[in-house]
Amino acid sequence: MCIRDSPYLLRTHTSPVQVRTMLSQKPPIRIIAPGRCYRKDTPDATHYFSFWQCEGLYVDKHVTMADLKGVLTAFAKKLMGPETEIRFRPHFFPFTEPSVEYDFTCICGGGGCKICKGTGWIEISGAGMVDPEVFRAVGYDPEEVSGYAFGMGVERVAMIRYNIDDIRLLYSNDLRFIEQF
């Protein structure tokens, strides 16, 4: 059977772990769901056809967008250093409302490079507040609980942390590159 004729699809994100968790237990929920993902992306400095994604989900009473922003900002500063800035931009994702994309300052320090395409920022993740319809679908009362979710590409975080200017280097098996670490 040709792969084009296959009824199967390699997963494009790890979000189903969040839904399965909500279907199997009641709040409070705090999970991290790492996993390998596959996309029909043309490889370039910041995209590859497969990558590792790490998603998070927090559901409880009185969870707000401020909680999401605080957690992501603390994560950025702890992992990348206290000088790291984080930027939130409105976006659409089907299962969160409101939804945002968030960026970290780029390894170029804002001077502009091929990773950030001259902007000084690199997109890390999508995030947002879990849509009330999702809660209804899993049997939660959206008047009682709220929550946020995010999903980030591990390779992009590594690129910033270790000053790597091309994601393809992470998969090249080039010993000259690997031995630096």
Side-chain angles (χ1 to χ4, degrees):
M1 172 188 290
C2 176
I3 196 151
R4 286 180 299 219
D5 301 326
S6 173
Y8 302 106
L9 174 68
L10 297 173
R11 72 176 172 194
T12 57
H13 51 81
T14 55
S15 299
V17 175
Q18 296 178 18
V19 172
R20 286 189 202 109
T21 300
M22 287 189 285
L23 286 169
S24 68
Q25 65 189 66
K26 297 296 179 198
I29 293 174
R30 293 172 186 88
I31 65 165
I32 295 292
R36 186 99 168 162
C37 299
Y38 304 87
R39 302 250 172 101
K40 188 179 175 182
D41 282 343
T42 301
D44 63 21
T46 59
H47 295 87
Y48 203 62
F49 59 83
S50 72
F51 63 97
W52 285 91
Q53 186 174 57
C54 185
E55 293 209 9
L57 173 68
Y58 174 38
V59 179
D60 205 344
K61 295 180 180 186
H62 313 295
V63 177
T64 68
M65 189 71 152
D67 296 319
L68 171 62
K69 189 172 183 179
V71 164
L72 294 176
T73 300
F75 169 77
K77 291 185 179 294
K78 183 71 173 176
L79 182 67
M80 312 309 277
E83 69 285 349
T84 302
E85 297 292 324
I86 188 169
R87 173 177 78 170
F88 292 85
R89 297 176 288 119
H91 194 71
F92 171 77
F93 294 106
F95 303 111
T96 56
E97 181 59 39
S99 301
V100 296
E101 285 186 336
Y102 67 91
D103 311 324
F104 291 173
T105 46
C106 185
I107 61 176
C108 68
C113 68
K114 71 179 182 178
I115 295 173
C116 67
K117 298 174 181 72
T119 67
W121 298 94
I122 182 169
E123 178 188 331
I124 297 298
S125 174
M129 299 302 293
V130 178
D131 191 307
E133 291 304 316
V134 171
F135 287 144
R136 286 185 189 92
V138 298
Y140 294 0
D141 182 351
E143 298 296 321
E144 295 291 320
V145 298
S146 55
Y148 62 73
F150 61 85
M152 69 181 69
V154 174
E155 289 87 345
R156 286 195 184 172
V157 173
M159 289 173 70
I160 298 170
R161 177 95 166 118
Y162 298 107
N163 201 21
I164 300 167
D165 65 358
D166 195 318
I167 197 169
R168 295 168 290 196
L169 289 169
L170 296 168
Y171 295 99
S172 68
N173 293 325
D174 183 337
L175 284 177
R176 294 168 297 179
F177 172 75
I178 295 169
E179 287 173 345
Q180 296 177 56
F181 306 99

